[in-house]
Amino acid sequence: MKDLLMPAASVALPAELLTQAETLRLARGEALFRQGDPVRYVALVLEGELKAVRYMLDSAECVMLRARAGELFAESSLADSRYRCDGIATGPARVALVPVEAMRAALGGVDSLAYRLCLAVARQARRQCSRLERLRLKRARDRVLHFLVCEGGEAGIVRWSGHLSELAAELGLERETLYRTLATLEAEGRLRRLDDELRLLA
Amino acid sequence: MKDLLMPAASVALPAELLTQAETLRLARGEALFRQGDPVRYVALVLEGELKAVRYMLDSAECVMLRARAGELFAESSLADSRYRCDGIATGPARVALVPVEAMRAALGGVDSLAYRLCLAVARQARRQCSRLERLRLKRARDRVLHFLVCEGGEAGIVRWSGHLSELAAELGLERETLYRTLATLEAEGRLRRLDDELRLLA
DNA sequence: CGTCGCATTGATATCGCTCAAATCCGGTGG
DNA sequence: CCACCGGATTTGAGCGATATCAATGCGACG
């Protein structure tokens, strides 16, 4: 662990955390964790590179983030009980596994400002993942549906006070395309458009 | 400030931070900060909603994140000296401005684990912004160029040990499209393809 | 030698973008 | 009350870029 060359972006973890860490080797393509696994560790990448990916309906993979040697990986999973992505080595890699409990403790516990702030940042990261996944979809229809499902919550209702063109910008579409897509969905009965509200049906 | 209804995602900031906070009202479309402004505050949204946006070459706006009442806004700017986005109110809004210095102090200073961990998470958020911006581009050529510029650093060199199809997944393109795009760029002399390396020229 | 995975190339289909125009709607002033 | 205006929505028509499907080349490996 000593004499390890770390890039500028590296996180110098305190020794008391690293002593609790096991290290692990991964081969190219091997998974450190899978979507749905309980979050037990945050990883410090010692060698190689890892990526966090999600698989879409058509099984295409969507890369959420990458971490190289010296960087933390999956640190935003601190906010979750289960991983939301697969963590895959893009090549031969070596990681140190820091138990999340140790990490939380080092932050001063779940009531500390530090922990709560990290949660807030991690939550934003999670939303960005959602955005990323949405923009990764090629069809306008899929983006709109993804947006409605993600933002509409249980009831499938999204309030939108802004103009249609702002929603179009949010989705990375043109005004006209968005309009036509909404019109189609409404004609299919999958959607209701009220004044400043979109309702996903069935 | 009391009796304020906050959603589940809200961040309960300690009183000593909130007492140092000024509050500010914003009208729809008004900017809390602009890209390039020095980072002085982290905002807690009291009412309304803010969005962080970047403008692309064609002046289309790219939404990076949104924060609603009760949530922190621009907390990942803690890692930066200048804002990388515009912070805009999507409607009438009210925010509490917490000085970043106070925030850093509350985290235990710039050497604390808490602060460094927050930085690590914020750094990942920054990269996700870059990804978001890239996927927001419609043309394959633009995505490739954006990737090369962002990942290639000063020298414009990107090492890529994986297969072409993995890079295609990263960029949200199909293998064939990526191949054709790279071939075109190389024919134009803007790019050199070596074994496991891409060089951006001129 | 045959097969497998990936890179490369070609042909075509499809979708969203672009430009253009009609319509709607709230606000304003006569 | 009505005519008019500006901004936004809605609709139409055509084009261009990318996805898709198909085929070939090509090196690694058993």
Side-chain angles (χ1 to χ4, degrees), chain B residues 138 162-165 175-176 179-180 183 193:
Chain B
K138 298 172 201 289
H163 293 162
L164 210 52
S165 62
R175 257 197 322 290
E176 297 94 326
Y179 174 76
R180 280 186 251 260
R193 297 182 62 190

Side-chain angles (χ1 to χ4, degrees), chain A residues 21-78:
Chain A
E22 299 171 52
T23 69
L24 185 63
R25 285 180 185 282
L26 294 167
R28 169 186 167 84
E30 198 175 347
L32 177 58
F33 52 81
R34 294 285 182 185
Q35 193 179 146
D37 288 353
V39 176
R40 291 199 224 284
Y41 306 105
V42 169
L44 173 64
V45 183
L46 300 175
E47 294 169 23
E49 188 197 40
L50 300 206
K51 63 180 176 182
V53 303
R54 284 172 67 89
Y55 298 93
M56 301 185 297
L57 292 335
D58 64 344
S59 79
E61 76 173 41
C62 181
V63 182
M64 297 307 182
L65 56 88
R66 291 172 183 277
R68 307 214 208 155
E71 299 176 335
L72 279 182
F73 181 65
E75 72 276 18
S76 55
S77 300
L78 213 55

Side-chain angles (χ1 to χ4, degrees), chain A residues 19-195:
Chain A
T19 55
Q20 300 178 54
E22 299 171 52
T23 69
L24 185 63
R25 285 180 185 282
L26 294 167
R28 169 186 167 84
E30 198 175 347
L32 177 58
F33 52 81
R34 294 285 182 185
Q35 193 179 146
D37 288 353
V39 176
R40 291 199 224 284
Y41 306 105
V42 169
L44 173 64
V45 183
L46 300 175
E47 294 169 23
E49 188 197 40
L50 300 206
K51 63 180 176 182
V53 303
R54 284 172 67 89
Y55 298 93
M56 301 185 297
L57 292 335
D58 64 344
S59 79
E61 76 173 41
C62 181
V63 182
M64 297 307 182
L65 56 88
R66 291 172 183 277
R68 307 214 208 155
E71 299 176 335
L72 279 182
F73 181 65
E75 72 276 18
S76 55
S77 300
L78 213 55
D80 301 305
S81 62
R82 294 180 177 276
Y83 292 106
R84 320 175 72 74
C85 304
D86 283 18
I88 311 280
T90 62
R94 206 159 59 84
V95 299
L97 301 177
V98 182
V100 285
E101 290 315 329
M103 188 70 97
R104 288 200 179 102
L107 284 174
V110 294
D111 293 323
S112 68
L113 172 65
Y115 183 68
R116 279 180 284 131
L117 185 56
C118 283
L119 283 197
V121 181
R123 197 153 37 222
Q124 289 292 5
R126 185 156 65 204
R127 291 201 199 157
Q128 279 187 315
C129 282
S130 172
R131 273 207 167 69
L132 226 34
E133 204 170 33
R134 189 179 309 143
L135 286 183
R136 188 68 173 63
L137 297 169
K138 299 171 201 291
R139 302 237 222 78
R141 181 195 175 79
D142 295 336
R143 288 196 195 168
V144 171
L145 254 15
H146 185 281
F147 173 78
L148 291 173
V149 169
C150 289
E151 306 295 310
E154 292 301 311
I157 299 178
V158 179
R159 302 202 77 95
W160 190 265
S161 50
H163 292 164
L164 211 52
S165 61
E166 296 178 62
L167 181 53
E170 167 84 31
L171 299 180
L173 300 171
E174 296 303 312
R175 263 199 317 291
E176 297 95 325
T177 303
L178 174 58
Y179 173 75
R180 279 187 252 261
T181 305
L182 289 177
T184 302
L185 287 173
E186 199 165 17
E188 292 174 4
R190 312 246 3 222
L191 180 71
R192 274 289 294 280
R193 297 183 60 190
L194 288 327
D195 225 19

